[in-house]
Amino acid sequence: MRQDILAGGMAALWLAACVPGGPPVEGPVTAPAFDAAAVTAPPAEGTGDCWHESRRPALFETVTEQVIVTPEQRDAAGALIRPATFRSETHQRELRPRQTIWFRIPCLADTGPGPSFIASLQRALKARGLYGGAVTGEMDAATEAAVRRYQAASGLDSAVLSLTAARALGLISVAP
C-alpha cells in the first residue's frame, strides 16, 4: 500500500513538471564584457574621463597538420599493398596582433580620497572568492592579481580596475 502511494505521488510530481506554464527560468547573470569598453585610439584630451593605457599581447594559435608523404598503394583487386605515410607539420597562426588599448578607469572624484575605496574593492573581490588576503585598503600584489582574475574572465587582462568592472562590482554608481 505504501509503495502505491509513493508511486502515485512520484507520478503526480512528474506530470506536474511536464505541465507548461509558470515563469521561465533565466540563465545565470554574467559580468559585462569589460574589453568592450576598450578603444584602440588614444582618447581625446579634455573629456573629463580618466583613462589607462595598456598593451594587449598578440594571440597565436599553434596548428599541427598531418601531411601525406607517400600515398597508399593498392593492387588491381583493391587490397592494400603499402599504407600511406604521413609527417606532422606545425606552424603558428596569429589570431590577433599586439595592440595598445585604452580603457576608462575610476577617477578620484568617483572613488574619494583615502583607502576606503580599495578596502571596498577587496571586500567585493573576497565575496566573489577572488581575493583571500586581509582587507587593508592598500592596492597590493594580491589585490591586483584578484582584479586581473576578475576582469580576465570577461575579456580584459589588466590588473588596473576598469570603470566597467568597478560598476559591475557595485563600487561606483552607473551613469544615468
Side-chain angles (χ1 to χ4, degrees), residues 158-176:
S158 177
V160 176
L161 183 68
S162 70
L163 184 61
T164 306
R167 287 180 174 154
L169 288 167
L171 301 174
I172 295 178
S173 64
V174 177

Side-chain angles (χ1 to χ4, degrees), residues 48-51 104-112 117 163 172:
D49 294 332
C50 299
W51 294 85
R104 290 184 60 202
I105 60 172
C107 295
L108 184 59
D110 297 327
T111 63
F117 179 78
L163 184 61
I172 295 178

Side-chain angles (χ1 to χ4, degrees), residues 3 24 31-32 57 71 96 105 125 144 171:
Q3 290 178 339
R96 181 186 70 209
I105 60 172
L125 294 169
E144 288 178 351
L171 301 174

